[in-house]
Amino acid sequence: MTDPRADSRADSRADSRAETVRDRYRATLGTVPQGVEDRLRLARHLGRLPTEEALAALRHVVLTDNPLGSQVQQLVHFGQLLALGHPGPARIHAQGALHAGATLTDLAGVAETALITAGVPAYALGTEIIAELLADGRT
């Protein structure tokens, strides 16, 4: 028979660890993406929380402890994701760039660069995302 108090303490520790992961995403993006919440829920269920903790720690180092700084890092991510044609993550990093102090004009510059390096589809995706941000009242 298991001790319910031990189960409760383990759940509390897992809750705290998951919240630490969320805090890392909030620090870089200003929010916790739904995909991260989904992964955390699955990791908790399967007992694989260390994987999410390691991923969050690596992201934190790459995005915040980087010579480019967090704003430029977010802009680079946005551009790379435009070039790869990944709209969901590109939206997340566009918002992360704004959270880090970038402007819509900065995002437009990245989209224009994507036009040259990745073509009209990447540029169109970038302008679509920027137009959505503008419509949402982001300036």
Side-chain angles (χ1 to χ4, degrees), residues 78 82 87-88 91 111 121-135:
F78 177 59
L82 292 179
R91 281 179 175 84
Y123 174 70
L125 176 57
T127 58
E128 175 186 316
I129 292 168
I130 296 163
E132 289 170 0
L133 293 167
L134 185 60

Side-chain angles (χ1 to χ4, degrees), residues 1 4 14 66 78 84 89 106 109 116 122 131:
M1 188 178 279
N66 184 293
F78 177 59
L84 292 169
D106 295 329
I116 300 302

Side-chain angles (χ1 to χ4, degrees), residues 7-28:
D7 289 343
S8 177
R9 286 190 300 272
D11 284 345
S12 179
R13 282 191 302 276
D15 287 344
S16 176
R17 291 169 55 201
E19 194 58 30
T20 298
V21 169
R22 287 183 188 96
D23 286 343
R24 294 225 170 172
Y25 282 91
R26 287 183 195 107
T28 56

